[in-house]
Amino acid sequence: GISTVIRAEEHLTNTLRQGLILDALGAPRPSYAHCSLILGEDKQKLSKRHGATSCNQFRLDGFLPDAMINYLALLGWNDGTENEIFSREELIEVFDLDRVVKSPSVFDMEKLKWVNSQHIKGLTVADLLDLVKEQMGFVGLIKEGTSMDDQQVVDLAFAATALAKQMMETTNDAATNAKTVFGFGLPASFAELKDGEAKKMIEMGNFYPLVARILELAETNEFPVPDAER
């Protein structure tokens, strides 16, 4: 049966009536814990006007499930240490109602992004691929009907993830970075570059020979690629 009910302080006034109903039914009363409300950054009660209104919206925005659970657990609770990053298993192990604080907590989107970024850093590129492919679909980088297992999709997601991983706050960042790059309208090859002045500047600098060498190594499969397990 239900041993403990944890809910918002708004339900405190319901507790006596519900307890009496349970007594009348001959059912055991659970233990009740009433937590302070979660506030928006304007210190008002959290509501739809403060942003995302569903779990699915956070998924669409590129937040990891474990990061969401981690952050929500930190709203009004801590384990008594400086640690702020927990796996689900660690939270189950250390969570204790005695450490829930009485004062209201503020839902800080920047803090949530930081927690999410720490969870992303703890995953490998391979772990993140499916999540990034999903985000690429959301931002329109993948044509409708294209299989997520298509090798070009996999390669694009791998490259976007490997390049962005250390700075990503959400998995959406890798997808939007890739979309931005594709939006530059660059020619397919250096020979097709029509801006003569730009072409001359590239040839005079160090960039042209460096990229030429990279392309040469890439074509012979000698250029090192990121490790998917890192």
Side-chain angles (χ1 to χ4, degrees):
I2 298 173
S3 62
T4 308
V5 174
I6 304 175
R7 57 190 183 180
E9 62 182 16
E10 293 174 308
H11 295 284
L12 188 59
T13 55
N14 302 330
T15 308
L16 178 58
R17 181 170 63 253
Q18 292 166 352
L20 292 174
I21 292 172
L22 289 171
D23 292 345
L25 294 172
R29 289 191 186 188
S31 297
Y32 289 94
H34 293 88
C35 302
S36 297
L37 296 177
I38 298 174
L39 308 179
E41 293 182 40
D42 57 1
K43 303 301 188 294
Q44 300 299 310
K45 179 183 174 183
L46 195 65
S47 65
K48 292 180 180 179
R49 72 176 183 276
H50 291 102
T53 58
S54 69
C55 291
N56 190 54
Q57 185 59 55
F58 285 105
R59 179 179 72 87
L60 296 175
D61 291 341
F63 290 96
L64 306 180
D66 282 7
M68 287 298 304
I69 291 172
N70 184 165
Y71 179 69
L72 291 173
L74 295 177
L75 292 176
W77 171 87
N78 66 74
D79 71 338
T81 72
E82 297 296 317
N83 186 29
E84 293 184 293
I85 305 302
F86 298 90
S87 66
R88 296 192 201 194
E89 293 73 20
E90 289 169 338
L91 282 171
I92 291 170
E93 180 67 27
V94 301
F95 186 82
D96 190 327
L97 279 174
D98 289 338
R99 293 211 56 85
V100 174
V101 299
K102 295 180 180 179
S103 57
S105 299
V106 174
F107 194 99
D108 183 342
M109 185 59 73
E110 292 305 311
K111 183 64 175 289
L112 171 58
K113 289 179 180 179
W114 178 80
V115 171
N116 200 60
S117 73
Q118 300 309 301
H119 279 266
I120 286 175
K121 287 182 173 66
L123 298 175
T124 66
V125 173
D127 292 331
L128 293 165
L129 275 186
D130 286 344
L131 296 170
V132 172
K133 284 190 287 185
E134 181 181 51
Q135 290 295 324
M136 287 181 168
F138 294 156
V139 301
L141 277 178
I142 301 174
K143 289 183 179 180
E144 187 175 347
T146 303
S147 170
M148 288 296 184
D149 295 324
D150 183 285
Q151 194 57 50
Q152 288 186 321
V153 174
V154 174
D155 290 345
L156 175 59
F158 182 90
T161 305
L163 288 170
K165 184 172 180 288
Q166 291 306 310
M167 298 298 292
M168 283 165 59
E169 291 184 319
T170 70
T171 53
N172 180 261
D173 291 342
T176 53
N177 285 352
K179 186 174 183 178
T180 299
V181 170
F182 284 125
F184 289 156
L186 298 175
S189 68
F190 181 69
E192 296 177 40
L193 184 62
K194 296 179 180 179
D195 189 330
E197 185 177 354
K199 206 168 188 177
K200 184 177 180 180
M201 289 180 65
I202 293 173
E203 289 175 330
M204 289 174 59
N206 295 321
F207 182 73
Y208 181 77
L210 175 62
V211 173
R213 179 58 177 159
I214 290 174
L215 290 174
E216 180 184 326
L217 292 174
E219 288 172 356
T220 57
N221 293 321
E222 296 178 70
F223 189 75
V225 297
D227 185 351
E229 299 305 317
R230 297 184 63 183

